[in-house]
Amino acid sequence: MRATLIYGAGDVRVENVPDPKPAEPTDAIVRVLRACICGSDLWPYGSRPATEKGDRIGHEFLGVVEDLGSEVSGLAPGDVVVAPFAYADNTCEYCRAGLHTSCPHGGFFGAGGVDGGQGEAVRVPFAQGTLVKLPVGEDDALLPSLVTLSDVFPTGHHCAVTAGVGPGSVVTVIGDGAVGLSAVLAAKRLGAERIILMGRHADRTSLGREFGATDVVAERGDEGIARVRELTGGFGTPAVLECVGTLTTLETALAVVRDGGTVSRVGAPQYAEVPFGFPAFGRNITLTGGIAPVRAYLEELLPDVLDGVVEPGRVFDRTVGLADVPDGYRAMAAREALKVLVRP
Amino acid sequence: MRATLIYGAGDVRVENVPDPKPAEPTDAIVRVLRACICGSDLWPYGSRPATEKGDRIGHEFLGVVEDLGSEVSGLAPGDVVVAPFAYADNTCEYCRAGLHTSCPHGGFFGAGGVDGGQGEAVRVPFAQGTLVKLPVGEDDALLPSLVTLSDVFPTGHHCAVTAGVGPGSVVTVIGDGAVGLSAVLAAKRLGAERIILMGRHADRTSLGREFGATDVVAERGDEGIARVRELTGGFGTPAVLECVGTLTTLETALAVVRDGGTVSRVGAPQYAEVPFGFPAFGRNITLTGGIAPVRAYLEELLPDVLDGVVEPGRVFDRTVGLADVPDGYRAMAAREALKVLVRP
């Protein structure tokens, strides 16, 4: 079958790989119907050292169950399923606490030798705990929104939840990428009253407004910080959703959060140290968030996607076949595309 | 009158200073009945550059109202009152949100030219918002416990509250100083079921056990971390109360917190940067806490102190008169005394 491999920075190829087969009795084989390119795929695309052997890449996908190991129950061949980007047993103490990303049996698609999602099929470990059955057919119009349930929409949701967003909240969202826009949508869905979106790409922030942003701040750095403070009576906002992951955006988050407020981060941190000494202490700032335990949120989010209450799939502005995945990476890295849907 | 001044590291003196008088119509003059030396006073005592002119020091006190500015209502001369270590107007948006330490009219005793508490009397700014009347006489046996309401007990309480401690919680408390022991007491009061106290001074940890600690870990560093993990099935605890303020103790906190858990800190940070990059992100750790908005907690804590439900004053193991305050500093810095009560 065909699948995407990354060989180094800027070097993504679609090649023949062996067809996946169940290796463990807890595995399933899923034929991919839709996959996506994630903003976090752009980090290795930007900096991975070149190697002779490529690695499978991609961690967002949904598809059809083709084969099942002997210990998987509750799923049948032909089922349409979505996979959270982290597989997990869904039975351990962490999973039961809703923290599937810390499951000791878990891991990530497209990492550590596990199949990536940007291919024709995927071997899914701990399939029974990982996969969620979708009550749709193989070419349902909702598939784009449904595939966002593998990562980007629940990641935005996790950011909003951990920041304590609820009815009446006043929120700043930093970043107009697909995660930032998903965070806007999630905050709106949770009842936020005012959502200030910091982003400078007009086409993206206009989708952000449709998702629920009440204000857009296009300025960056000190100017952007001053603008958010101006919009909030000088205080900043009690919740800040940091959806990029750089030190600069984290510093912006700490500068626009209100004293006593919460910064939640879901962009993979491109920093090791956080400036969080006496000033943040004196202001009683909370720093939270982290990698989203997507599986924990699917029962809550799926009905609203199926009912069309939210349309997170609107973040896709380009669709490619498998052969064009490398061009999808190029387009996302060049900011030509917001988020690329892959249709193998 | 006599008051304590600090001139440099290790150089604390009791000297004559002008008697305080109301300078603003919102001021009160309080004659001090009890004051204390705070662990945070030991930071300047350890490192303040020497100067020719001394600064008033001390921020924990209770006393008797002696004089009032014309705009102060609700208080009368003769009232016994406690002062939170931060004065505040108690009417602004931050104060109404319970964050008196961010009050734009507020500040700290013994800082920025405002009187310190380790003296015979104190000019209290924004007295009406700051002082809380105590229904006791001038020599009540409860005064030691009541003066802890100015800082150390509500600081421990703030640490427990921001860490989300409640009925059934499993908690690690780092530090067997007066703040750590107060955090144990506060966690127990809030219903924590298991409280692991990390501290190596047997006399202090035995008081910690009386306050509610169920386990004591005397080991430090990697050994201490391993011991807490061993006590918790390998997981660590969902809440960690960091009551020291050094980078080392913060690192310990991050190492003993369970994935998905919360580290709260109330020790004044002796660091500018926190190691809080991808590992903490991947584990979904929350970092919270900060300088305690003591005033916000007094209505809740005062009745339990008056009723003897909690006895936070047990942290005092030495009482000195004003003339012996320098020796009190020496004794606390040398770890001869846990916490020193001052009786002017």
PDB file of all heavy atoms in Angstrom, chain A residues 206-237:
ATOM      1  N   SER A 206     -11.243  35.793   9.855  1.00  0.00           N
ATOM      2  CA  SER A 206     -12.668  35.949   9.499  1.00  0.00           C
ATOM      3  C   SER A 206     -13.410  34.628   9.731  1.00  0.00           C
ATOM      4  O   SER A 206     -14.565  34.642  10.161  1.00  0.00           O
ATOM      5  CB  SER A 206     -12.831  36.470   8.070  1.00  0.00           C
ATOM      6  OG  SER A 206     -12.400  35.509   7.159  1.00  0.00           O
ATOM      7  N   LEU A 207     -12.753  33.489   9.515  1.00  0.00           N
ATOM      8  CA  LEU A 207     -13.373  32.218   9.918  1.00  0.00           C
ATOM      9  C   LEU A 207     -13.501  32.181  11.445  1.00  0.00           C
ATOM     10  O   LEU A 207     -14.497  31.699  11.993  1.00  0.00           O
ATOM     11  CB  LEU A 207     -12.543  31.024   9.423  1.00  0.00           C
ATOM     12  CG  LEU A 207     -13.066  29.634   9.818  1.00  0.00           C
ATOM     13  CD1 LEU A 207     -14.506  29.409   9.386  1.00  0.00           C
ATOM     14  CD2 LEU A 207     -12.153  28.525   9.260  1.00  0.00           C
ATOM     15  N   GLY A 208     -12.496  32.724  12.116  1.00  0.00           N
ATOM     16  CA  GLY A 208     -12.554  32.813  13.573  1.00  0.00           C
ATOM     17  C   GLY A 208     -13.779  33.592  14.036  1.00  0.00           C
ATOM     18  O   GLY A 208     -14.451  33.203  14.991  1.00  0.00           O
ATOM     19  N   ARG A 209     -14.096  34.661  13.343  1.00  0.00           N
ATOM     20  CA  ARG A 209     -15.295  35.434  13.711  1.00  0.00           C
ATOM     21  C   ARG A 209     -16.546  34.574  13.501  1.00  0.00           C
ATOM     22  O   ARG A 209     -17.467  34.594  14.317  1.00  0.00           O
ATOM     23  CB  ARG A 209     -15.395  36.706  12.870  1.00  0.00           C
ATOM     24  CG  ARG A 209     -14.477  37.827  13.344  1.00  0.00           C
ATOM     25  CD  ARG A 209     -14.816  39.137  12.609  1.00  0.00           C
ATOM     26  NE  ARG A 209     -13.818  40.165  12.825  1.00  0.00           N
ATOM     27  CZ  ARG A 209     -13.819  41.011  13.863  1.00  0.00           C
ATOM     28  NH1 ARG A 209     -14.752  40.924  14.786  1.00  0.00           N
ATOM     29  NH2 ARG A 209     -12.883  41.932  13.973  1.00  0.00           N
ATOM     30  N   GLU A 210     -16.553  33.808  12.408  1.00  0.00           N
ATOM     31  CA  GLU A 210     -17.719  32.943  12.193  1.00  0.00           C
ATOM     32  C   GLU A 210     -17.805  31.853  13.271  1.00  0.00           C
ATOM     33  O   GLU A 210     -18.897  31.411  13.634  1.00  0.00           O
ATOM     34  CB  GLU A 210     -17.665  32.322  10.795  1.00  0.00           C
ATOM     35  CG  GLU A 210     -17.840  33.376   9.691  1.00  0.00           C
ATOM     36  CD  GLU A 210     -17.748  32.775   8.296  1.00  0.00           C
ATOM     37  OE1 GLU A 210     -18.386  31.736   8.052  1.00  0.00           O
ATOM     38  OE2 GLU A 210     -17.009  33.338   7.460  1.00  0.00           O
ATOM     39  N   PHE A 211     -16.660  31.438  13.772  1.00  0.00           N
ATOM     40  CA  PHE A 211     -16.642  30.431  14.846  1.00  0.00           C
ATOM     41  C   PHE A 211     -17.024  31.029  16.205  1.00  0.00           C
ATOM     42  O   PHE A 211     -17.260  30.297  17.151  1.00  0.00           O
ATOM     43  CB  PHE A 211     -15.251  29.801  14.952  1.00  0.00           C
ATOM     44  CG  PHE A 211     -15.020  28.633  14.019  1.00  0.00           C
ATOM     45  CD1 PHE A 211     -13.778  27.992  13.982  1.00  0.00           C
ATOM     46  CD2 PHE A 211     -16.029  28.153  13.186  1.00  0.00           C
ATOM     47  CE1 PHE A 211     -13.552  26.904  13.142  1.00  0.00           C
ATOM     48  CE2 PHE A 211     -15.808  27.063  12.337  1.00  0.00           C
ATOM     49  CZ  PHE A 211     -14.572  26.450  12.320  1.00  0.00           C
ATOM     50  N   GLY A 212     -17.005  32.358  16.325  1.00  0.00           N
ATOM     51  CA  GLY A 212     -17.431  32.935  17.597  1.00  0.00           C
ATOM     52  C   GLY A 212     -16.564  34.046  18.152  1.00  0.00           C
ATOM     53  O   GLY A 212     -16.899  34.606  19.202  1.00  0.00           O
ATOM     54  N   ALA A 213     -15.441  34.361  17.483  1.00  0.00           N
ATOM     55  CA  ALA A 213     -14.601  35.452  17.997  1.00  0.00           C
ATOM     56  C   ALA A 213     -15.390  36.757  17.945  1.00  0.00           C
ATOM     57  O   ALA A 213     -16.024  37.067  16.937  1.00  0.00           O
ATOM     58  CB  ALA A 213     -13.311  35.577  17.186  1.00  0.00           C
ATOM     59  N   THR A 214     -15.339  37.518  19.042  1.00  0.00           N
ATOM     60  CA  THR A 214     -16.052  38.803  19.088  1.00  0.00           C
ATOM     61  C   THR A 214     -15.123  39.961  18.745  1.00  0.00           C
ATOM     62  O   THR A 214     -15.580  41.033  18.363  1.00  0.00           O
ATOM     63  CB  THR A 214     -16.634  39.033  20.492  1.00  0.00           C
ATOM     64  OG1 THR A 214     -15.592  38.857  21.460  1.00  0.00           O
ATOM     65  CG2 THR A 214     -17.760  38.042  20.789  1.00  0.00           C
ATOM     66  N   ASP A 215     -13.820  39.750  18.905  1.00  0.00           N
ATOM     67  CA  ASP A 215     -12.824  40.783  18.598  1.00  0.00           C
ATOM     68  C   ASP A 215     -11.620  40.094  17.960  1.00  0.00           C
ATOM     69  O   ASP A 215     -11.299  38.961  18.310  1.00  0.00           O
ATOM     70  CB  ASP A 215     -12.332  41.476  19.880  1.00  0.00           C
ATOM     71  CG  ASP A 215     -13.463  42.092  20.696  1.00  0.00           C
ATOM     72  OD1 ASP A 215     -14.092  41.351  21.481  1.00  0.00           O
ATOM     73  OD2 ASP A 215     -13.710  43.291  20.523  1.00  0.00           O
ATOM     74  N   VAL A 216     -10.981  40.817  17.050  1.00  0.00           N
ATOM     75  CA  VAL A 216      -9.751  40.294  16.447  1.00  0.00           C
ATOM     76  C   VAL A 216      -8.645  41.311  16.681  1.00  0.00           C
ATOM     77  O   VAL A 216      -8.832  42.516  16.466  1.00  0.00           O
ATOM     78  CB  VAL A 216      -9.942  40.046  14.937  1.00  0.00           C
ATOM     79  CG1 VAL A 216      -8.593  39.778  14.261  1.00  0.00           C
ATOM     80  CG2 VAL A 216     -10.891  38.869  14.708  1.00  0.00           C
ATOM     81  N   VAL A 217      -7.505  40.826  17.159  1.00  0.00           N
ATOM     82  CA  VAL A 217      -6.338  41.694  17.340  1.00  0.00           C
ATOM     83  C   VAL A 217      -5.264  41.203  16.379  1.00  0.00           C
ATOM     84  O   VAL A 217      -4.715  40.114  16.544  1.00  0.00           O
ATOM     85  CB  VAL A 217      -5.838  41.643  18.804  1.00  0.00           C
ATOM     86  CG1 VAL A 217      -4.504  42.357  18.947  1.00  0.00           C
ATOM     87  CG2 VAL A 217      -6.886  42.259  19.726  1.00  0.00           C
ATOM     88  N   ALA A 218      -4.999  42.019  15.367  1.00  0.00           N
ATOM     89  CA  ALA A 218      -4.034  41.618  14.341  1.00  0.00           C
ATOM     90  C   ALA A 218      -2.613  42.013  14.719  1.00  0.00           C
ATOM     91  O   ALA A 218      -1.642  41.443  14.216  1.00  0.00           O
ATOM     92  CB  ALA A 218      -4.412  42.252  13.002  1.00  0.00           C
ATOM     93  N   GLU A 219      -2.487  42.955  15.642  1.00  0.00           N
ATOM     94  CA  GLU A 219      -1.153  43.390  16.044  1.00  0.00           C
ATOM     95  C   GLU A 219      -0.452  42.290  16.843  1.00  0.00           C
ATOM     96  O   GLU A 219      -1.104  41.492  17.511  1.00  0.00           O
ATOM     97  CB  GLU A 219      -1.234  44.661  16.914  1.00  0.00           C
ATOM     98  CG  GLU A 219      -1.817  45.871  16.216  1.00  0.00           C
ATOM     99  CD  GLU A 219      -3.344  45.961  16.324  1.00  0.00           C
ATOM    100  OE1 GLU A 219      -4.002  44.943  16.677  1.00  0.00           O
ATOM    101  OE2 GLU A 219      -3.877  47.049  16.035  1.00  0.00           O
ATOM    102  N   ARG A 220       0.863  42.266  16.802  1.00  0.00           N
ATOM    103  CA  ARG A 220       1.615  41.257  17.547  1.00  0.00           C
ATOM    104  C   ARG A 220       2.476  41.942  18.613  1.00  0.00           C
ATOM    105  O   ARG A 220       2.574  43.166  18.649  1.00  0.00           O
ATOM    106  CB  ARG A 220       2.524  40.478  16.592  1.00  0.00           C
ATOM    107  CG  ARG A 220       1.785  39.952  15.401  1.00  0.00           C
ATOM    108  CD  ARG A 220       2.723  39.245  14.457  1.00  0.00           C
ATOM    109  NE  ARG A 220       2.864  37.835  14.808  1.00  0.00           N
ATOM    110  CZ  ARG A 220       3.705  37.002  14.219  1.00  0.00           C
ATOM    111  NH1 ARG A 220       4.503  37.439  13.250  1.00  0.00           N
ATOM    112  NH2 ARG A 220       3.750  35.732  14.565  1.00  0.00           N
ATOM    113  N   GLY A 221       3.139  41.155  19.413  1.00  0.00           N
ATOM    114  CA  GLY A 221       4.098  41.669  20.395  1.00  0.00           C
ATOM    115  C   GLY A 221       3.477  42.712  21.301  1.00  0.00           C
ATOM    116  O   GLY A 221       2.306  42.603  21.680  1.00  0.00           O
ATOM    117  N   ASP A 222       4.256  43.743  21.653  1.00  0.00           N
ATOM    118  CA  ASP A 222       3.796  44.747  22.613  1.00  0.00           C
ATOM    119  C   ASP A 222       2.534  45.462  22.151  1.00  0.00           C
ATOM    120  O   ASP A 222       1.673  45.800  22.956  1.00  0.00           O
ATOM    121  CB  ASP A 222       4.900  45.777  22.874  1.00  0.00           C
ATOM    122  CG  ASP A 222       6.037  45.185  23.689  1.00  0.00           C
ATOM    123  OD1 ASP A 222       5.840  44.104  24.282  1.00  0.00           O
ATOM    124  OD2 ASP A 222       7.118  45.791  23.720  1.00  0.00           O
ATOM    125  N   GLU A 223       2.446  45.684  20.828  1.00  0.00           N
ATOM    126  CA  GLU A 223       1.254  46.356  20.293  1.00  0.00           C
ATOM    127  C   GLU A 223       0.011  45.496  20.491  1.00  0.00           C
ATOM    128  O   GLU A 223      -1.062  45.994  20.839  1.00  0.00           O
ATOM    129  CB  GLU A 223       1.420  46.594  18.794  1.00  0.00           C
ATOM    130  CG  GLU A 223       1.928  47.956  18.412  1.00  0.00           C
ATOM    131  CD  GLU A 223       1.948  48.068  16.872  1.00  0.00           C
ATOM    132  OE1 GLU A 223       2.889  47.503  16.261  1.00  0.00           O
ATOM    133  OE2 GLU A 223       1.017  48.663  16.301  1.00  0.00           O
ATOM    134  N   GLY A 224       0.165  44.220  20.224  1.00  0.00           N
ATOM    135  CA  GLY A 224      -0.968  43.307  20.408  1.00  0.00           C
ATOM    136  C   GLY A 224      -1.377  43.213  21.867  1.00  0.00           C
ATOM    137  O   GLY A 224      -2.567  43.202  22.204  1.00  0.00           O
ATOM    138  N   ILE A 225      -0.373  43.148  22.752  1.00  0.00           N
ATOM    139  CA  ILE A 225      -0.651  43.091  24.190  1.00  0.00           C
ATOM    140  C   ILE A 225      -1.408  44.347  24.624  1.00  0.00           C
ATOM    141  O   ILE A 225      -2.415  44.268  25.329  1.00  0.00           O
ATOM    142  CB  ILE A 225       0.682  42.950  24.977  1.00  0.00           C
ATOM    143  CG1 ILE A 225       1.305  41.572  24.701  1.00  0.00           C
ATOM    144  CG2 ILE A 225       0.464  43.170  26.477  1.00  0.00           C
ATOM    145  CD1 ILE A 225       2.775  41.472  25.065  1.00  0.00           C
ATOM    146  N   ALA A 226      -0.925  45.510  24.154  1.00  0.00           N
ATOM    147  CA  ALA A 226      -1.578  46.776  24.521  1.00  0.00           C
ATOM    148  C   ALA A 226      -3.018  46.795  24.022  1.00  0.00           C
ATOM    149  O   ALA A 226      -3.931  47.270  24.701  1.00  0.00           O
ATOM    150  CB  ALA A 226      -0.800  47.957  23.950  1.00  0.00           C
ATOM    151  N   ARG A 227      -3.230  46.242  22.855  1.00  0.00           N
ATOM    152  CA  ARG A 227      -4.572  46.251  22.277  1.00  0.00           C
ATOM    153  C   ARG A 227      -5.535  45.383  23.101  1.00  0.00           C
ATOM    154  O   ARG A 227      -6.666  45.775  23.363  1.00  0.00           O
ATOM    155  CB  ARG A 227      -4.489  45.758  20.824  1.00  0.00           C
ATOM    156  CG  ARG A 227      -5.799  45.779  20.091  1.00  0.00           C
ATOM    157  CD  ARG A 227      -6.167  47.166  19.579  1.00  0.00           C
ATOM    158  NE  ARG A 227      -7.518  47.141  19.013  1.00  0.00           N
ATOM    159  CZ  ARG A 227      -8.557  47.775  19.552  1.00  0.00           C
ATOM    160  NH1 ARG A 227      -8.419  48.547  20.614  1.00  0.00           N
ATOM    161  NH2 ARG A 227      -9.744  47.667  18.998  1.00  0.00           N
ATOM    162  N   VAL A 228      -5.071  44.195  23.505  1.00  0.00           N
ATOM    163  CA  VAL A 228      -5.932  43.334  24.326  1.00  0.00           C
ATOM    164  C   VAL A 228      -6.233  44.018  25.654  1.00  0.00           C
ATOM    165  O   VAL A 228      -7.374  44.012  26.132  1.00  0.00           O
ATOM    166  CB  VAL A 228      -5.286  41.949  24.569  1.00  0.00           C
ATOM    167  CG1 VAL A 228      -6.123  41.120  25.550  1.00  0.00           C
ATOM    168  CG2 VAL A 228      -5.136  41.198  23.251  1.00  0.00           C
ATOM    169  N   ARG A 229      -5.243  44.645  26.228  1.00  0.00           N
ATOM    170  CA  ARG A 229      -5.473  45.324  27.514  1.00  0.00           C
ATOM    171  C   ARG A 229      -6.457  46.489  27.332  1.00  0.00           C
ATOM    172  O   ARG A 229      -7.331  46.706  28.172  1.00  0.00           O
ATOM    173  CB  ARG A 229      -4.143  45.802  28.116  1.00  0.00           C
ATOM    174  CG  ARG A 229      -3.279  44.617  28.527  1.00  0.00           C
ATOM    175  CD  ARG A 229      -2.277  44.931  29.630  1.00  0.00           C
ATOM    176  NE  ARG A 229      -1.871  43.687  30.284  1.00  0.00           N
ATOM    177  CZ  ARG A 229      -2.290  43.283  31.472  1.00  0.00           C
ATOM    178  NH1 ARG A 229      -3.143  44.032  32.156  1.00  0.00           N
ATOM    179  NH2 ARG A 229      -1.870  42.150  31.989  1.00  0.00           N
ATOM    180  N   GLU A 230      -6.312  47.183  26.212  1.00  0.00           N
ATOM    181  CA  GLU A 230      -7.226  48.294  25.916  1.00  0.00           C
ATOM    182  C   GLU A 230      -8.663  47.784  25.784  1.00  0.00           C
ATOM    183  O   GLU A 230      -9.616  48.437  26.220  1.00  0.00           O
ATOM    184  CB  GLU A 230      -6.739  48.898  24.591  1.00  0.00           C
ATOM    185  CG  GLU A 230      -7.343  50.196  24.154  1.00  0.00           C
ATOM    186  CD  GLU A 230      -6.760  50.576  22.781  1.00  0.00           C
ATOM    187  OE1 GLU A 230      -5.514  50.673  22.655  1.00  0.00           O
ATOM    188  OE2 GLU A 230      -7.551  50.737  21.815  1.00  0.00           O
ATOM    189  N   LEU A 231      -8.812  46.631  25.190  1.00  0.00           N
ATOM    190  CA  LEU A 231     -10.153  46.060  24.998  1.00  0.00           C
ATOM    191  C   LEU A 231     -10.770  45.557  26.298  1.00  0.00           C
ATOM    192  O   LEU A 231     -11.958  45.261  26.345  1.00  0.00           O
ATOM    193  CB  LEU A 231     -10.083  44.881  24.007  1.00  0.00           C
ATOM    194  CG  LEU A 231      -9.861  45.219  22.536  1.00  0.00           C
ATOM    195  CD1 LEU A 231      -9.532  43.954  21.747  1.00  0.00           C
ATOM    196  CD2 LEU A 231     -11.105  45.903  21.951  1.00  0.00           C
ATOM    197  N   THR A 232      -9.951  45.431  27.346  1.00  0.00           N
ATOM    198  CA  THR A 232     -10.433  44.796  28.580  1.00  0.00           C
ATOM    199  C   THR A 232     -10.250  45.710  29.791  1.00  0.00           C
ATOM    200  O   THR A 232     -10.007  45.221  30.902  1.00  0.00           O
ATOM    201  CB  THR A 232      -9.687  43.464  28.814  1.00  0.00           C
ATOM    202  OG1 THR A 232      -8.264  43.714  28.779  1.00  0.00           O
ATOM    203  CG2 THR A 232     -10.031  42.448  27.761  1.00  0.00           C
ATOM    204  N   GLY A 233     -10.361  46.997  29.563  1.00  0.00           N
ATOM    205  CA  GLY A 233     -10.272  47.943  30.673  1.00  0.00           C
ATOM    206  C   GLY A 233      -8.920  47.934  31.357  1.00  0.00           C
ATOM    207  O   GLY A 233      -8.817  48.310  32.526  1.00  0.00           O
ATOM    208  N   GLY A 234      -7.900  47.462  30.661  1.00  0.00           N
ATOM    209  CA  GLY A 234      -6.553  47.430  31.227  1.00  0.00           C
ATOM    210  C   GLY A 234      -6.207  46.129  31.926  1.00  0.00           C
ATOM    211  O   GLY A 234      -5.051  45.907  32.280  1.00  0.00           O
ATOM    212  N   PHE A 235      -7.175  45.274  32.096  1.00  0.00           N
ATOM    213  CA  PHE A 235      -6.983  44.079  32.925  1.00  0.00           C
ATOM    214  C   PHE A 235      -6.394  42.875  32.193  1.00  0.00           C
ATOM    215  O   PHE A 235      -5.743  42.042  32.796  1.00  0.00           O
ATOM    216  CB  PHE A 235      -8.323  43.649  33.536  1.00  0.00           C
ATOM    217  CG  PHE A 235      -8.823  44.549  34.630  1.00  0.00           C
ATOM    218  CD1 PHE A 235      -9.866  45.430  34.426  1.00  0.00           C
ATOM    219  CD2 PHE A 235      -8.226  44.508  35.882  1.00  0.00           C
ATOM    220  CE1 PHE A 235     -10.330  46.251  35.446  1.00  0.00           C
ATOM    221  CE2 PHE A 235      -8.680  45.319  36.919  1.00  0.00           C
ATOM    222  CZ  PHE A 235      -9.732  46.205  36.694  1.00  0.00           C
ATOM    223  N   GLY A 236      -6.665  42.730  30.909  1.00  0.00           N
ATOM    224  CA  GLY A 236      -6.432  41.440  30.267  1.00  0.00           C
ATOM    225  C   GLY A 236      -7.621  40.524  30.534  1.00  0.00           C
ATOM    226  O   GLY A 236      -8.596  40.925  31.180  1.00  0.00           O
ATOM    227  N   THR A 237      -7.548  39.293  30.052  1.00  0.00           N
ATOM    228  CA  THR A 237      -8.686  38.378  30.193  1.00  0.00           C
ATOM    229  C   THR A 237      -8.374  37.267  31.213  1.00  0.00           C
ATOM    230  O   THR A 237      -7.229  36.845  31.330  1.00  0.00           O
ATOM    231  CB  THR A 237      -9.072  37.731  28.848  1.00  0.00           C
ATOM    232  OG1 THR A 237      -7.970  36.968  28.347  1.00  0.00           O
ATOM    233  CG2 THR A 237      -9.447  38.791  27.818  1.00  0.00           C
TER     234      THR A 237
END
